[in-house]
Amino acid sequence: MTETPALTDLWPAPLADGPVNATVQVPGSKSVTNRGLVLAALAAEPGWLRRPLRSRDTLLMAGALRAMGVKIEETVSSSSSATGDPAAGGEAWRIIPAGLHGPATVDVGNAGTVMRFLPPVATLADGTVHFDGDPRSYERPLHGVIDALRALGARIEDEGRGALPLTVHGGGALDGGKVDIDASSSSQFVSALLLSAPRFNQGVEVRHTGPSLPSLPHIRMTVDMLRCVGAQVDEPETGGEANVWRVSPSALLGRDLTVEPDLSNAQPFLAAALVTGGRVLVPDWPLRTTQPGDRLREIFTEMGGSCELTEQGLALTGSGRVHGIDVDLSDVGELTPGLAAVAALADSPSTLRGIAHLRLHETDRLAALTKEINELGGDVTETADGLVIRPRPLRGGVFHTYDDHRMATAGAILGLAVPGVEIENVGTTAKTLPDFPDLWTGMLGN
């Protein structure tokens, strides 16, 4: 394994010398891993997470739960060779619930799932739980969770910021009940309340009252995982009951969950096949999933690739040409940086819409993509809710990442076709995709 560059280093993005032909084993889903950790910590009995993602975001989640009293045992097994079941091998975490308690201090880093999913958990702890994180975490919206928890009976000190840092004064229980929130800036506000709701005395009824709700597939993932551990969840209906979720109070079951590959993190590798006219296979791509990244099959097909999904995984083959696209990404905003990079290499313009909420992610992704692609000679215009990308011949240069993992992988995609692209702080990919430089160079046969 090569040494991952230091955060301050410039990483020369490898230039593809021909069509890529590779199989890439993508690590587990961050979204599934962190939801699975929370649900297992709140269960009435021990559970297992197999093939969890080990990255900065998931280790922050595990560390936070441990700080509140949850026991998490990490093991590595090679039993797949004996059983023939590949899911039986690899890393596994055994989560043993315990009485949640404080005082505790939680470092959220810049992880949206940690900063939003855990304050509701902290209301169930006996004692105070203090939350802090990276400087950027102070700027990310958290008011929806804070206001909702107060309405449900929690005591939270945030000095009126509606953001980090904050302290939750846990009372060992929370009444719960009905609450209205505006989750238009992050669907994680809804997921945060739903995940802990079975442990609230009255459960919860969450009603979204604001503008269009982004990233609905992530809420569907939350609902699906809640049901898998025995929770009763009523999903939104059409008409007057749309954007309402009800969770009944109940005990949660300890489950044995194998984490799917992170389909959004598969994006740069599939993009490599599209951009170079090659072929990339991602093993274990699920035949059925709630992960938003599954939409890559549709989007990359429209952009000129062909996809084949079998029990072995997903194979994407590029045609040698990349077409522009006009697409609403409101449900899959996390795919925007990689799609913007591919679109900058296309043979026709692209319009990416429905993604105004990306201004509040790890960085302002719309402004960052516009600036960085344009500084390489591109023609990107920021709109009220997205980007218009007109392909131009690009040149090498430094591609800044703003401590945003998806900016780093977007720069790597551009570097496949543009000589001389250097990625600042490629190490930020460890947030959700550990060992990205090794995976990338391995795919290219370097």
PDB file of all heavy atoms in Angstrom, residues 35 38 42 112-121 142 144-146 148-149 152 181 186-198 200 204 206 218-219 222 226:
ATOM      1  N   ARG A  35     -26.355   4.780  10.346  1.00  0.00           N
ATOM      2  CA  ARG A  35     -27.719   4.482  10.800  1.00  0.00           C
ATOM      3  C   ARG A  35     -27.740   3.167  11.576  1.00  0.00           C
ATOM      4  O   ARG A  35     -28.420   3.043  12.604  1.00  0.00           O
ATOM      5  CB  ARG A  35     -28.681   4.424   9.603  1.00  0.00           C
ATOM      6  CG  ARG A  35     -29.067   5.785   9.052  1.00  0.00           C
ATOM      7  CD  ARG A  35     -29.723   5.671   7.682  1.00  0.00           C
ATOM      8  NE  ARG A  35     -30.262   6.943   7.201  1.00  0.00           N
ATOM      9  CZ  ARG A  35     -29.516   7.914   6.669  1.00  0.00           C
ATOM     10  NH1 ARG A  35     -28.200   7.754   6.563  1.00  0.00           N
ATOM     11  NH2 ARG A  35     -30.081   9.037   6.253  1.00  0.00           N
ATOM     12  N   VAL A  38     -26.468   3.653  15.172  1.00  0.00           N
ATOM     13  CA  VAL A  38     -27.443   4.306  16.060  1.00  0.00           C
ATOM     14  C   VAL A  38     -28.538   3.325  16.464  1.00  0.00           C
ATOM     15  O   VAL A  38     -28.884   3.200  17.651  1.00  0.00           O
ATOM     16  CB  VAL A  38     -28.042   5.547  15.385  1.00  0.00           C
ATOM     17  CG1 VAL A  38     -29.208   6.101  16.193  1.00  0.00           C
ATOM     18  CG2 VAL A  38     -26.974   6.620  15.190  1.00  0.00           C
ATOM     19  N   LEU A  42     -29.451   1.700  20.288  1.00  0.00           N
ATOM     20  CA  LEU A  42     -30.737   1.916  20.960  1.00  0.00           C
ATOM     21  C   LEU A  42     -31.550   0.640  21.122  1.00  0.00           C
ATOM     22  O   LEU A  42     -32.656   0.667  21.665  1.00  0.00           O
ATOM     23  CB  LEU A  42     -31.563   2.930  20.160  1.00  0.00           C
ATOM     24  CG  LEU A  42     -30.974   4.346  20.071  1.00  0.00           C
ATOM     25  CD1 LEU A  42     -31.828   5.214  19.149  1.00  0.00           C
ATOM     26  CD2 LEU A  42     -30.849   4.980  21.449  1.00  0.00           C
ATOM     27  N   GLY A 112     -22.269  15.261   8.994  1.00  0.00           N
ATOM     28  CA  GLY A 112     -23.667  15.624   9.166  1.00  0.00           C
ATOM     29  C   GLY A 112     -24.452  14.582   9.927  1.00  0.00           C
ATOM     30  O   GLY A 112     -25.317  14.912  10.752  1.00  0.00           O
ATOM     31  N   THR A 113     -24.188  13.297   9.665  1.00  0.00           N
ATOM     32  CA  THR A 113     -24.936  12.250  10.360  1.00  0.00           C
ATOM     33  C   THR A 113     -24.654  12.268  11.854  1.00  0.00           C
ATOM     34  O   THR A 113     -25.557  12.039  12.662  1.00  0.00           O
ATOM     35  CB  THR A 113     -24.583  10.865   9.790  1.00  0.00           C
ATOM     36  OG1 THR A 113     -23.169  10.699   9.754  1.00  0.00           O
ATOM     37  CG2 THR A 113     -25.160  10.688   8.397  1.00  0.00           C
ATOM     38  N   VAL A 114     -23.417  12.539  12.257  1.00  0.00           N
ATOM     39  CA  VAL A 114     -23.090  12.546  13.684  1.00  0.00           C
ATOM     40  C   VAL A 114     -23.705  13.765  14.367  1.00  0.00           C
ATOM     41  O   VAL A 114     -24.340  13.659  15.425  1.00  0.00           O
ATOM     42  CB  VAL A 114     -21.561  12.505  13.899  1.00  0.00           C
ATOM     43  CG1 VAL A 114     -21.230  12.489  15.388  1.00  0.00           C
ATOM     44  CG2 VAL A 114     -20.955  11.288  13.199  1.00  0.00           C
ATOM     45  N   MET A 115     -23.546  14.948  13.762  1.00  0.00           N
ATOM     46  CA  MET A 115     -24.036  16.161  14.416  1.00  0.00           C
ATOM     47  C   MET A 115     -25.558  16.210  14.480  1.00  0.00           C
ATOM     48  O   MET A 115     -26.123  16.869  15.357  1.00  0.00           O
ATOM     49  CB  MET A 115     -23.484  17.403  13.712  1.00  0.00           C
ATOM     50  CG  MET A 115     -24.046  17.684  12.345  1.00  0.00           C
ATOM     51  SD  MET A 115     -23.369  19.216  11.591  1.00  0.00           S
ATOM     52  CE  MET A 115     -21.694  18.717  11.231  1.00  0.00           C
ATOM     53  N   ARG A 116     -26.241  15.476  13.578  1.00  0.00           N
ATOM     54  CA  ARG A 116     -27.710  15.535  13.557  1.00  0.00           C
ATOM     55  C   ARG A 116     -28.366  14.310  14.176  1.00  0.00           C
ATOM     56  O   ARG A 116     -29.406  14.426  14.817  1.00  0.00           O
ATOM     57  CB  ARG A 116     -28.180  15.743  12.117  1.00  0.00           C
ATOM     58  CG  ARG A 116     -27.784  17.126  11.600  1.00  0.00           C
ATOM     59  CD  ARG A 116     -27.892  17.273  10.116  1.00  0.00           C
ATOM     60  NE  ARG A 116     -27.436  18.595   9.681  1.00  0.00           N
ATOM     61  CZ  ARG A 116     -26.868  18.846   8.514  1.00  0.00           C
ATOM     62  NH1 ARG A 116     -26.690  17.864   7.633  1.00  0.00           N
ATOM     63  NH2 ARG A 116     -26.461  20.061   8.205  1.00  0.00           N
ATOM     64  N   PHE A 117     -27.788  13.131  13.999  1.00  0.00           N
ATOM     65  CA  PHE A 117     -28.432  11.922  14.512  1.00  0.00           C
ATOM     66  C   PHE A 117     -28.262  11.769  16.026  1.00  0.00           C
ATOM     67  O   PHE A 117     -29.106  11.149  16.678  1.00  0.00           O
ATOM     68  CB  PHE A 117     -27.861  10.673  13.843  1.00  0.00           C
ATOM     69  CG  PHE A 117     -28.204  10.513  12.380  1.00  0.00           C
ATOM     70  CD1 PHE A 117     -27.710   9.431  11.660  1.00  0.00           C
ATOM     71  CD2 PHE A 117     -29.024  11.421  11.717  1.00  0.00           C
ATOM     72  CE1 PHE A 117     -28.019   9.268  10.313  1.00  0.00           C
ATOM     73  CE2 PHE A 117     -29.329  11.276  10.369  1.00  0.00           C
ATOM     74  CZ  PHE A 117     -28.817  10.196   9.673  1.00  0.00           C
ATOM     75  N   LEU A 118     -27.183  12.325  16.596  1.00  0.00           N
ATOM     76  CA  LEU A 118     -26.888  12.004  17.996  1.00  0.00           C
ATOM     77  C   LEU A 118     -27.495  12.930  19.046  1.00  0.00           C
ATOM     78  O   LEU A 118     -27.703  12.484  20.173  1.00  0.00           O
ATOM     79  CB  LEU A 118     -25.381  11.893  18.198  1.00  0.00           C
ATOM     80  CG  LEU A 118     -24.759  10.641  17.561  1.00  0.00           C
ATOM     81  CD1 LEU A 118     -23.309  10.485  17.979  1.00  0.00           C
ATOM     82  CD2 LEU A 118     -25.542   9.380  17.922  1.00  0.00           C
ATOM     83  N   PRO A 119     -27.820  14.209  18.778  1.00  0.00           N
ATOM     84  CA  PRO A 119     -28.533  14.961  19.817  1.00  0.00           C
ATOM     85  C   PRO A 119     -29.837  14.296  20.285  1.00  0.00           C
ATOM     86  O   PRO A 119     -30.106  14.277  21.488  1.00  0.00           O
ATOM     87  CB  PRO A 119     -28.760  16.327  19.160  1.00  0.00           C
ATOM     88  CG  PRO A 119     -27.568  16.482  18.269  1.00  0.00           C
ATOM     89  CD  PRO A 119     -27.349  15.104  17.698  1.00  0.00           C
ATOM     90  N   PRO A 120     -30.665  13.710  19.382  1.00  0.00           N
ATOM     91  CA  PRO A 120     -31.836  12.988  19.891  1.00  0.00           C
ATOM     92  C   PRO A 120     -31.463  11.802  20.776  1.00  0.00           C
ATOM     93  O   PRO A 120     -32.142  11.526  21.779  1.00  0.00           O
ATOM     94  CB  PRO A 120     -32.550  12.514  18.614  1.00  0.00           C
ATOM     95  CG  PRO A 120     -32.127  13.487  17.564  1.00  0.00           C
ATOM     96  CD  PRO A 120     -30.702  13.813  17.899  1.00  0.00           C
ATOM     97  N   VAL A 121     -30.383  11.089  20.422  1.00  0.00           N
ATOM     98  CA  VAL A 121     -29.910   9.989  21.269  1.00  0.00           C
ATOM     99  C   VAL A 121     -29.495  10.529  22.635  1.00  0.00           C
ATOM    100  O   VAL A 121     -29.784   9.933  23.678  1.00  0.00           O
ATOM    101  CB  VAL A 121     -28.736   9.254  20.590  1.00  0.00           C
ATOM    102  CG1 VAL A 121     -28.157   8.185  21.523  1.00  0.00           C
ATOM    103  CG2 VAL A 121     -29.172   8.621  19.274  1.00  0.00           C
ATOM    104  N   LEU A 142     -28.358  23.124  11.850  1.00  0.00           N
ATOM    105  CA  LEU A 142     -28.746  22.145  12.863  1.00  0.00           C
ATOM    106  C   LEU A 142     -30.014  22.577  13.580  1.00  0.00           C
ATOM    107  O   LEU A 142     -30.546  21.857  14.417  1.00  0.00           O
ATOM    108  CB  LEU A 142     -27.590  21.983  13.867  1.00  0.00           C
ATOM    109  CG  LEU A 142     -27.599  20.833  14.853  1.00  0.00           C
ATOM    110  CD1 LEU A 142     -27.733  19.493  14.138  1.00  0.00           C
ATOM    111  CD2 LEU A 142     -26.337  20.857  15.703  1.00  0.00           C
ATOM    112  N   GLY A 144     -33.094  22.721  12.778  1.00  0.00           N
ATOM    113  CA  GLY A 144     -34.272  21.862  12.684  1.00  0.00           C
ATOM    114  C   GLY A 144     -34.307  20.805  13.764  1.00  0.00           C
ATOM    115  O   GLY A 144     -35.364  20.519  14.351  1.00  0.00           O
ATOM    116  N   VAL A 145     -33.147  20.209  14.052  1.00  0.00           N
ATOM    117  CA  VAL A 145     -33.067  19.186  15.102  1.00  0.00           C
ATOM    118  C   VAL A 145     -33.213  19.836  16.480  1.00  0.00           C
ATOM    119  O   VAL A 145     -33.961  19.343  17.346  1.00  0.00           O
ATOM    120  CB  VAL A 145     -31.740  18.412  15.004  1.00  0.00           C
ATOM    121  CG1 VAL A 145     -31.601  17.434  16.169  1.00  0.00           C
ATOM    122  CG2 VAL A 145     -31.664  17.664  13.679  1.00  0.00           C
ATOM    123  N   ILE A 146     -32.501  20.935  16.703  1.00  0.00           N
ATOM    124  CA  ILE A 146     -32.542  21.592  18.011  1.00  0.00           C
ATOM    125  C   ILE A 146     -33.958  22.055  18.346  1.00  0.00           C
ATOM    126  O   ILE A 146     -34.481  21.773  19.441  1.00  0.00           O
ATOM    127  CB  ILE A 146     -31.567  22.792  18.030  1.00  0.00           C
ATOM    128  CG1 ILE A 146     -30.121  22.309  17.879  1.00  0.00           C
ATOM    129  CG2 ILE A 146     -31.730  23.600  19.319  1.00  0.00           C
ATOM    130  CD1 ILE A 146     -29.128  23.431  17.658  1.00  0.00           C
ATOM    131  N   ALA A 148     -36.811  21.093  17.105  1.00  0.00           N
ATOM    132  CA  ALA A 148     -37.747  19.970  17.240  1.00  0.00           C
ATOM    133  C   ALA A 148     -37.588  19.285  18.587  1.00  0.00           C
ATOM    134  O   ALA A 148     -38.586  18.954  19.254  1.00  0.00           O
ATOM    135  CB  ALA A 148     -37.525  18.972  16.105  1.00  0.00           C
ATOM    136  N   LEU A 149     -36.356  19.059  19.007  1.00  0.00           N
ATOM    137  CA  LEU A 149     -36.143  18.392  20.296  1.00  0.00           C
ATOM    138  C   LEU A 149     -36.671  19.234  21.454  1.00  0.00           C
ATOM    139  O   LEU A 149     -37.251  18.701  22.414  1.00  0.00           O
ATOM    140  CB  LEU A 149     -34.659  18.082  20.488  1.00  0.00           C
ATOM    141  CG  LEU A 149     -34.090  16.980  19.584  1.00  0.00           C
ATOM    142  CD1 LEU A 149     -32.591  16.844  19.783  1.00  0.00           C
ATOM    143  CD2 LEU A 149     -34.784  15.644  19.864  1.00  0.00           C
ATOM    144  N   LEU A 152     -40.263  18.817  21.742  1.00  0.00           N
ATOM    145  CA  LEU A 152     -40.614  17.495  22.259  1.00  0.00           C
ATOM    146  C   LEU A 152     -40.236  17.329  23.721  1.00  0.00           C
ATOM    147  O   LEU A 152     -40.424  16.250  24.291  1.00  0.00           O
ATOM    148  CB  LEU A 152     -39.939  16.408  21.420  1.00  0.00           C
ATOM    149  CG  LEU A 152     -40.387  16.330  19.958  1.00  0.00           C
ATOM    150  CD1 LEU A 152     -39.525  15.336  19.183  1.00  0.00           C
ATOM    151  CD2 LEU A 152     -41.864  15.942  19.867  1.00  0.00           C
ATOM    152  N   ILE A 181     -41.371  20.599  11.520  1.00  0.00           N
ATOM    153  CA  ILE A 181     -40.037  21.111  11.248  1.00  0.00           C
ATOM    154  C   ILE A 181     -39.926  21.501   9.776  1.00  0.00           C
ATOM    155  O   ILE A 181     -40.685  21.016   8.935  1.00  0.00           O
ATOM    156  CB  ILE A 181     -38.924  20.086  11.579  1.00  0.00           C
ATOM    157  CG1 ILE A 181     -39.014  18.856  10.668  1.00  0.00           C
ATOM    158  CG2 ILE A 181     -38.960  19.686  13.027  1.00  0.00           C
ATOM    159  CD1 ILE A 181     -37.819  17.941  10.791  1.00  0.00           C
ATOM    160  N   SER A 186     -31.908  20.109   5.007  1.00  0.00           N
ATOM    161  CA  SER A 186     -31.286  18.790   5.170  1.00  0.00           C
ATOM    162  C   SER A 186     -32.334  17.754   5.553  1.00  0.00           C
ATOM    163  O   SER A 186     -33.015  17.897   6.575  1.00  0.00           O
ATOM    164  CB  SER A 186     -30.200  18.815   6.247  1.00  0.00           C
ATOM    165  OG  SER A 186     -29.680  17.513   6.441  1.00  0.00           O
ATOM    166  N   SER A 187     -32.421  16.691   4.757  1.00  0.00           N
ATOM    167  CA  SER A 187     -33.323  15.581   5.106  1.00  0.00           C
ATOM    168  C   SER A 187     -32.874  14.882   6.383  1.00  0.00           C
ATOM    169  O   SER A 187     -33.656  14.161   7.004  1.00  0.00           O
ATOM    170  CB  SER A 187     -33.370  14.568   3.960  1.00  0.00           C
ATOM    171  OG  SER A 187     -32.124  13.894   3.828  1.00  0.00           O
ATOM    172  N   GLN A 188     -31.612  15.098   6.788  1.00  0.00           N
ATOM    173  CA  GLN A 188     -31.126  14.458   8.013  1.00  0.00           C
ATOM    174  C   GLN A 188     -31.869  14.938   9.250  1.00  0.00           C
ATOM    175  O   GLN A 188     -31.884  14.240  10.265  1.00  0.00           O
ATOM    176  CB  GLN A 188     -29.622  14.709   8.165  1.00  0.00           C
ATOM    177  CG  GLN A 188     -28.785  13.946   7.150  1.00  0.00           C
ATOM    178  CD  GLN A 188     -27.306  14.250   7.245  1.00  0.00           C
ATOM    179  OE1 GLN A 188     -26.887  15.135   8.018  1.00  0.00           O
ATOM    180  NE2 GLN A 188     -26.489  13.558   6.483  1.00  0.00           N
ATOM    181  N   PHE A 189     -32.514  16.116   9.188  1.00  0.00           N
ATOM    182  CA  PHE A 189     -33.332  16.558  10.314  1.00  0.00           C
ATOM    183  C   PHE A 189     -34.443  15.547  10.586  1.00  0.00           C
ATOM    184  O   PHE A 189     -34.751  15.214  11.736  1.00  0.00           O
ATOM    185  CB  PHE A 189     -33.964  17.929  10.035  1.00  0.00           C
ATOM    186  CG  PHE A 189     -33.005  19.071   9.913  1.00  0.00           C
ATOM    187  CD1 PHE A 189     -33.449  20.314   9.485  1.00  0.00           C
ATOM    188  CD2 PHE A 189     -31.658  18.931  10.212  1.00  0.00           C
ATOM    189  CE1 PHE A 189     -32.591  21.395   9.373  1.00  0.00           C
ATOM    190  CE2 PHE A 189     -30.771  19.998  10.099  1.00  0.00           C
ATOM    191  CZ  PHE A 189     -31.247  21.243   9.672  1.00  0.00           C
ATOM    192  N   VAL A 190     -35.085  15.064   9.520  1.00  0.00           N
ATOM    193  CA  VAL A 190     -36.163  14.084   9.673  1.00  0.00           C
ATOM    194  C   VAL A 190     -35.596  12.749  10.148  1.00  0.00           C
ATOM    195  O   VAL A 190     -36.083  12.154  11.118  1.00  0.00           O
ATOM    196  CB  VAL A 190     -36.918  13.901   8.341  1.00  0.00           C
ATOM    197  CG1 VAL A 190     -37.948  12.776   8.459  1.00  0.00           C
ATOM    198  CG2 VAL A 190     -37.593  15.199   7.934  1.00  0.00           C
ATOM    199  N   SER A 191     -34.551  12.269   9.482  1.00  0.00           N
ATOM    200  CA  SER A 191     -33.971  10.980   9.867  1.00  0.00           C
ATOM    201  C   SER A 191     -33.503  10.988  11.314  1.00  0.00           C
ATOM    202  O   SER A 191     -33.657   9.981  12.027  1.00  0.00           O
ATOM    203  CB  SER A 191     -32.800  10.635   8.946  1.00  0.00           C
ATOM    204  OG  SER A 191     -33.238  10.268   7.659  1.00  0.00           O
ATOM    205  N   ALA A 192     -32.949  12.098  11.764  1.00  0.00           N
ATOM    206  CA  ALA A 192     -32.455  12.187  13.136  1.00  0.00           C
ATOM    207  C   ALA A 192     -33.559  11.901  14.147  1.00  0.00           C
ATOM    208  O   ALA A 192     -33.373  11.162  15.120  1.00  0.00           O
ATOM    209  CB  ALA A 192     -31.859  13.572  13.385  1.00  0.00           C
ATOM    210  N   LEU A 193     -34.729  12.492  13.930  1.00  0.00           N
ATOM    211  CA  LEU A 193     -35.849  12.296  14.861  1.00  0.00           C
ATOM    212  C   LEU A 193     -36.429  10.889  14.750  1.00  0.00           C
ATOM    213  O   LEU A 193     -36.787  10.274  15.756  1.00  0.00           O
ATOM    214  CB  LEU A 193     -36.922  13.343  14.595  1.00  0.00           C
ATOM    215  CG  LEU A 193     -36.479  14.797  14.822  1.00  0.00           C
ATOM    216  CD1 LEU A 193     -37.529  15.764  14.312  1.00  0.00           C
ATOM    217  CD2 LEU A 193     -36.190  15.044  16.300  1.00  0.00           C
ATOM    218  N   LEU A 194     -36.503  10.373  13.524  1.00  0.00           N
ATOM    219  CA  LEU A 194     -37.098   9.047  13.341  1.00  0.00           C
ATOM    220  C   LEU A 194     -36.251   7.954  13.978  1.00  0.00           C
ATOM    221  O   LEU A 194     -36.781   6.999  14.554  1.00  0.00           O
ATOM    222  CB  LEU A 194     -37.277   8.753  11.851  1.00  0.00           C
ATOM    223  CG  LEU A 194     -38.171   9.700  11.042  1.00  0.00           C
ATOM    224  CD1 LEU A 194     -38.327   9.190   9.616  1.00  0.00           C
ATOM    225  CD2 LEU A 194     -39.531   9.869  11.704  1.00  0.00           C
ATOM    226  N   LEU A 195     -34.928   8.059  13.892  1.00  0.00           N
ATOM    227  CA  LEU A 195     -34.058   6.987  14.383  1.00  0.00           C
ATOM    228  C   LEU A 195     -34.215   6.756  15.884  1.00  0.00           C
ATOM    229  O   LEU A 195     -34.199   5.608  16.347  1.00  0.00           O
ATOM    230  CB  LEU A 195     -32.599   7.309  14.053  1.00  0.00           C
ATOM    231  CG  LEU A 195     -32.188   7.150  12.587  1.00  0.00           C
ATOM    232  CD1 LEU A 195     -30.830   7.788  12.343  1.00  0.00           C
ATOM    233  CD2 LEU A 195     -32.170   5.682  12.177  1.00  0.00           C
ATOM    234  N   SER A 196     -34.345   7.825  16.648  1.00  0.00           N
ATOM    235  CA  SER A 196     -34.476   7.681  18.105  1.00  0.00           C
ATOM    236  C   SER A 196     -35.920   7.558  18.563  1.00  0.00           C
ATOM    237  O   SER A 196     -36.180   7.217  19.729  1.00  0.00           O
ATOM    238  CB  SER A 196     -33.829   8.870  18.820  1.00  0.00           C
ATOM    239  OG  SER A 196     -32.430   8.862  18.667  1.00  0.00           O
ATOM    240  N   ALA A 197     -36.875   7.815  17.673  1.00  0.00           N
ATOM    241  CA  ALA A 197     -38.289   7.906  18.051  1.00  0.00           C
ATOM    242  C   ALA A 197     -38.855   6.676  18.750  1.00  0.00           C
ATOM    243  O   ALA A 197     -39.690   6.814  19.654  1.00  0.00           O
ATOM    244  CB  ALA A 197     -39.131   8.230  16.823  1.00  0.00           C
ATOM    245  N   PRO A 198     -38.465   5.431  18.385  1.00  0.00           N
ATOM    246  CA  PRO A 198     -39.037   4.284  19.099  1.00  0.00           C
ATOM    247  C   PRO A 198     -38.751   4.317  20.601  1.00  0.00           C
ATOM    248  O   PRO A 198     -39.502   3.721  21.381  1.00  0.00           O
ATOM    249  CB  PRO A 198     -38.351   3.084  18.432  1.00  0.00           C
ATOM    250  CG  PRO A 198     -37.996   3.562  17.073  1.00  0.00           C
ATOM    251  CD  PRO A 198     -37.617   5.005  17.265  1.00  0.00           C
ATOM    252  N   PHE A 200     -38.677   7.160  22.377  1.00  0.00           N
ATOM    253  CA  PHE A 200     -39.415   8.239  23.017  1.00  0.00           C
ATOM    254  C   PHE A 200     -40.691   7.678  23.626  1.00  0.00           C
ATOM    255  O   PHE A 200     -41.291   6.738  23.088  1.00  0.00           O
ATOM    256  CB  PHE A 200     -39.774   9.337  22.005  1.00  0.00           C
ATOM    257  CG  PHE A 200     -38.588  10.036  21.384  1.00  0.00           C
ATOM    258  CD1 PHE A 200     -38.759  10.836  20.261  1.00  0.00           C
ATOM    259  CD2 PHE A 200     -37.316   9.910  21.910  1.00  0.00           C
ATOM    260  CE1 PHE A 200     -37.690  11.497  19.677  1.00  0.00           C
ATOM    261  CE2 PHE A 200     -36.224  10.563  21.332  1.00  0.00           C
ATOM    262  CZ  PHE A 200     -36.424  11.351  20.211  1.00  0.00           C
ATOM    263  N   VAL A 204     -43.043   9.487  17.856  1.00  0.00           N
ATOM    264  CA  VAL A 204     -42.986  10.812  17.270  1.00  0.00           C
ATOM    265  C   VAL A 204     -43.849  10.874  16.015  1.00  0.00           C
ATOM    266  O   VAL A 204     -44.050   9.852  15.334  1.00  0.00           O
ATOM    267  CB  VAL A 204     -41.528  11.203  16.923  1.00  0.00           C
ATOM    268  CG1 VAL A 204     -41.069  10.570  15.611  1.00  0.00           C
ATOM    269  CG2 VAL A 204     -41.343  12.720  16.847  1.00  0.00           C
ATOM    270  N   VAL A 206     -43.559  13.419  12.865  1.00  0.00           N
ATOM    271  CA  VAL A 206     -42.782  14.508  12.279  1.00  0.00           C
ATOM    272  C   VAL A 206     -43.493  14.993  11.024  1.00  0.00           C
ATOM    273  O   VAL A 206     -43.793  14.203  10.131  1.00  0.00           O
ATOM    274  CB  VAL A 206     -41.350  14.043  11.918  1.00  0.00           C
ATOM    275  CG1 VAL A 206     -40.569  15.188  11.290  1.00  0.00           C
ATOM    276  CG2 VAL A 206     -40.631  13.505  13.145  1.00  0.00           C
ATOM    277  N   HIS A 218     -32.756   9.146   1.244  1.00  0.00           N
ATOM    278  CA  HIS A 218     -32.106   8.897   2.523  1.00  0.00           C
ATOM    279  C   HIS A 218     -33.132   8.721   3.647  1.00  0.00           C
ATOM    280  O   HIS A 218     -32.900   7.972   4.600  1.00  0.00           O
ATOM    281  CB  HIS A 218     -31.139  10.032   2.859  1.00  0.00           C
ATOM    282  CG  HIS A 218     -29.807   9.891   2.183  1.00  0.00           C
ATOM    283  ND1 HIS A 218     -29.366  10.761   1.216  1.00  0.00           N
ATOM    284  CD2 HIS A 218     -28.838   8.960   2.317  1.00  0.00           C
ATOM    285  CE1 HIS A 218     -28.162  10.380   0.798  1.00  0.00           C
ATOM    286  NE2 HIS A 218     -27.828   9.291   1.448  1.00  0.00           N
ATOM    287  N   ILE A 219     -34.266   9.408   3.553  1.00  0.00           N
ATOM    288  CA  ILE A 219     -35.329   9.180   4.544  1.00  0.00           C
ATOM    289  C   ILE A 219     -35.930   7.801   4.340  1.00  0.00           C
ATOM    290  O   ILE A 219     -36.230   7.089   5.302  1.00  0.00           O
ATOM    291  CB  ILE A 219     -36.402  10.286   4.460  1.00  0.00           C
ATOM    292  CG1 ILE A 219     -35.784  11.659   4.765  1.00  0.00           C
ATOM    293  CG2 ILE A 219     -37.552   9.993   5.420  1.00  0.00           C
ATOM    294  CD1 ILE A 219     -36.751  12.814   4.670  1.00  0.00           C
ATOM    295  N   THR A 222     -33.771   5.390   6.045  1.00  0.00           N
ATOM    296  CA  THR A 222     -34.006   5.410   7.492  1.00  0.00           C
ATOM    297  C   THR A 222     -35.248   4.602   7.852  1.00  0.00           C
ATOM    298  O   THR A 222     -35.231   3.785   8.783  1.00  0.00           O
ATOM    299  CB  THR A 222     -34.168   6.862   7.979  1.00  0.00           C
ATOM    300  OG1 THR A 222     -32.955   7.583   7.718  1.00  0.00           O
ATOM    301  CG2 THR A 222     -34.482   6.921   9.460  1.00  0.00           C
ATOM    302  N   LEU A 226     -35.330   1.193  10.084  1.00  0.00           N
ATOM    303  CA  LEU A 226     -36.142   1.134  11.304  1.00  0.00           C
ATOM    304  C   LEU A 226     -37.044  -0.087  11.296  1.00  0.00           C
ATOM    305  O   LEU A 226     -37.154  -0.815  12.297  1.00  0.00           O
ATOM    306  CB  LEU A 226     -36.979   2.408  11.429  1.00  0.00           C
ATOM    307  CG  LEU A 226     -36.300   3.622  12.060  1.00  0.00           C
ATOM    308  CD1 LEU A 226     -37.054   4.892  11.723  1.00  0.00           C
ATOM    309  CD2 LEU A 226     -36.194   3.449  13.578  1.00  0.00           C
TER     310      LEU A 226
END
